[in-house]
Amino acid sequence: MASVWAIGDIHGMGARLTTLLAALPRGPEDITVFLGDAIDRGPDSRGVVNRLLAEHEAAPDRTVLLWGNHEDMAAAYLTGTHPCQIAYDDFDWFRNGGIETMRSWERDPPACFKRECPDDLARYFSLLKTYWKAPTERFPELAHCVWVHAGTERGKPVEETHPDTLLWIRWEFIGYADRSGRLTIHGHTPTAEPEADPWRIGIDTGACRSGPLTALQMPERHIWQALPDQTVRDFPLQRYW
């Protein structure tokens, strides 16, 4: 049976990503969803972006790249084209890891402040989606699931939800019980370990803040993590219900 893998917020932790991907027992029919915030804060955003581009080039039908709020801030500054309608100020991105990202492209201040987007980063932006749902003909058991960066809005189909919500929502999403039957797989809000409620599974475990980088295998509900010492552990998600 094929699986859908979701990988939480990478935030420029290239070595951790390499370790995790090498450990995952992904099959030839599996789909991998990267939940956004691949860039910023960590030391190797460029390496992460190019690894994700390589993943997409090798399997474009089985690799899903999602917008995170950090990609939105970066694209707003560098290209002027981004899904959210938020009017960021000129330094929002740099206060949130943009300087580290531009340094990985060998642009130290003040060169990092130029509004010139590296070609590989522009290519990455062009591939991003705001949400993803598994094809029901292949994954009927995941028909109730949606993959987004931050979360979903109660009572509203994801198709009708503004990107501002999908990329930025936090406590209004985490604090409510979505009784629609939808299960949202998301990152964005860091926690020490994966969190699972009946309506959501959160897998941002703070990789850029000395936490593990986490992957979730569905429908198996199994967790795989690359730890700061570059070792890998795995365990069933039910441990956190």
Side-chain angles (χ1 to χ4, degrees):
M1 181 178 70
S3 298
V4 175
W5 299 84
I7 295 179
D9 304 38
I10 304 164
H11 278 304
M13 304 301 289
R16 201 86 50 86
L17 176 64
T18 297
T19 297
L20 181 62
L21 291 178
L24 299 182
R26 293 184 291 174
E29 300 302 319
D30 290 0
I31 294 174
T32 306
V33 184
F34 296 90
L35 294 177
D37 281 10
I39 62 171
D40 295 350
R41 296 192 172 133
D44 192 21
S45 289
R46 184 178 188 176
V48 170
V49 163
N50 280 281
R51 177 59 191 264
L52 300 191
L53 289 174
E55 289 272 320
H56 189 272
E57 182 177 351
D61 296 331
R62 297 187 292 107
T63 304
V64 180
L65 306 175
L66 296 185
W67 285 98
N69 59 304
H70 282 260
E71 283 86 3
D72 196 69
M73 288 187 288
Y77 187 88
L78 293 171
T79 72
T81 302
H82 61 115
C84 292
Q85 294 179 350
I86 297 169
Y88 303 110
D89 74 40
D90 281 350
F91 292 97
D92 277 340
W93 179 42
F94 296 109
R95 281 191 291 265
N96 287 281
I99 290 176
E100 291 85 348
T101 292
M102 285 293 92
R103 278 181 170 152
S104 74
W105 268 274
E106 301 179 352
R107 295 186 188 178
D108 291 325
C112 70
F113 300 119
K114 294 181 180 179
R115 295 180 187 271
E116 298 174 358
C117 190
D119 290 344
D120 44 2
L121 186 55
R123 166 72 174 152
Y124 169 66
F125 289 153
S126 74
L127 298 172
L128 301 181
K129 305 175 184 294
T130 56
Y131 69 89
W132 184 77
K133 298 172 78 172
T136 55
E137 66 277 8
R138 290 187 57 198
F139 297 98
E141 67 277 29
L142 299 179
H144 65 303
C145 297
V146 60
W147 286 255
V148 301
H149 175 63
T152 49
E153 186 172 348
R154 179 170 48 183
K156 185 173 286 190
V158 68
E159 295 86 352
E160 300 174 12
T161 303
H162 196 279
D164 290 10
T165 296
L166 301 177
L167 274 60
W168 280 98
I169 196 171
R170 198 182 300 275
W171 307 119
E172 310 96 297
F173 163 66
I174 290 171
Y176 74 69
D178 184 345
R179 303 187 188 281
S180 68
R182 177 171 60 196
L183 178 63
T184 299
I185 294 111
H186 68 96
H188 185 58
T189 299
T191 53
E193 295 289 355
E195 289 193 346
D197 294 308
W199 68 91
R200 72 178 187 93
I201 301 174
I203 60 168
D204 177 2
T205 47
C208 66
R209 296 189 173 108
S210 301
L213 179 62
T214 296
L216 167 68
Q217 183 183 16
M218 292 289 285
E220 294 83 354
R221 293 177 180 259
H222 202 83
I223 293 290
W224 296 72
Q225 294 183 321
L227 304 179
D229 64 1
Q230 297 299 97
T231 60
V232 176
R233 67 180 179 183
D234 69 283
F235 50 86
L237 180 68
Q238 284 79 355
R239 170 181 171 182
Y240 291 102
W241 277 95

